Amino acid sequence: CPCCQLTAAASGGGAVYLGSRGVSPGDVRMPTVTATRDGGATFGERIAVGGTPWQIDGCPLKPTALAAEDRFVYTLVHNGAEQPPGLLFARSTDGGRSFGPAVRVHPEAAVSDSPALAAPSRGLYAVWHAKAGGARRLFMQTSTDHGESFSPVSELPAPGGTGSYPAAAPAPDGGAVVVWQQGEQILAAK
């Protein structure tokens, strides 16, 4: 898809993963992951990360959020074919060669979007914005078992008003740092 931004994540084992969205016949926009294990000289097959096929005659402008650690690769991606439209989480336990079933994240939200992932040494952090009974706010879940299970959805503590477009990165102490747009400000939390 020429308009869905590329994403990348590196694992401790030297693999680099590239997230993108492919365009299949019939204008189906499927999120995919491919890997290079030779410093970018070659990339493997693009592997679909699952979900309801999203047929759209146009660019959805939705990236495939990625994080990786050792043999685990994680994706969080918006799917407009879901009802209501929202985020799906999928994980690979074999270095991106295959992905398990895509699982709905925050199904009670009217819409969830703008995913971010971070996989520091203390767990996996998933962050996104969603409308869940009011203005768009930031939400998150964490996992301490490589994405096998997650904590309940929780709202990030933030000032009132609209919070949107989060980004997440591992912190040196094993936690994560999240930054986002809050009105006309950029805020951060650890």
Side-chain angles (χ1 to χ4, degrees):
C1 181
C3 303
C4 292
Q5 306 87 335
L6 299 175
T7 56
S11 73
V16 176
Y17 301 94
L18 179 67
S20 63
R21 196 180 289 266
V23 181
S24 300
D27 286 323
V28 174
R29 311 289 171 136
M30 287 301 292
T32 65
V33 173
T34 185
T36 180
R37 293 172 173 80
D38 57 12
T42 61
F43 282 85
E45 177 185 356
R46 293 173 73 187
I47 306 298
V49 301
T52 303
W54 187 9
Q55 184 176 14
I56 179 173
D57 183 20
C59 291
L61 299 169
K62 305 293 183 191
T64 301
L66 279 177
E69 58 172 328
D70 302 323
R71 64 186 172 92
F72 296 96
V73 181
Y74 311 105
T75 67
L76 189 57
V77 63
H78 178 83
N79 186 326
E82 298 292 322
Q83 291 305 317
L87 296 175
L88 297 174
F89 172 81
R91 76 176 184 141
S92 170
T93 60
D94 60 6
R97 292 173 179 86
S98 65
F99 283 83
V103 177
R104 185 69 190 251
V105 174
H106 207 173
E108 60 278 3
V111 65
S112 55
D113 200 354
S114 194
L117 291 170
S121 61
R122 287 199 320 228
L124 175 63
Y125 294 79
V127 185
W128 62 92
H129 69 224
K131 289 185 178 181
R136 187 171 42 209
R137 303 290 292 166
L138 295 172
F139 296 88
M140 70 175 288
Q141 287 185 292
T142 59
S143 174
T144 57
D145 58 6
H146 304 286
E148 180 74 26
S149 64
F150 279 89
S151 66
V153 172
S154 62
E155 185 174 336
L156 261 65
T162 298
S164 56
Y165 305 112
D173 68 356
V177 175
V178 177
V179 296
W180 70 93
Q181 185 174 332
Q182 185 77 28
E184 294 181 17
Q185 298 179 1
I186 302 298
L187 299 182
K190 186 168 181 230

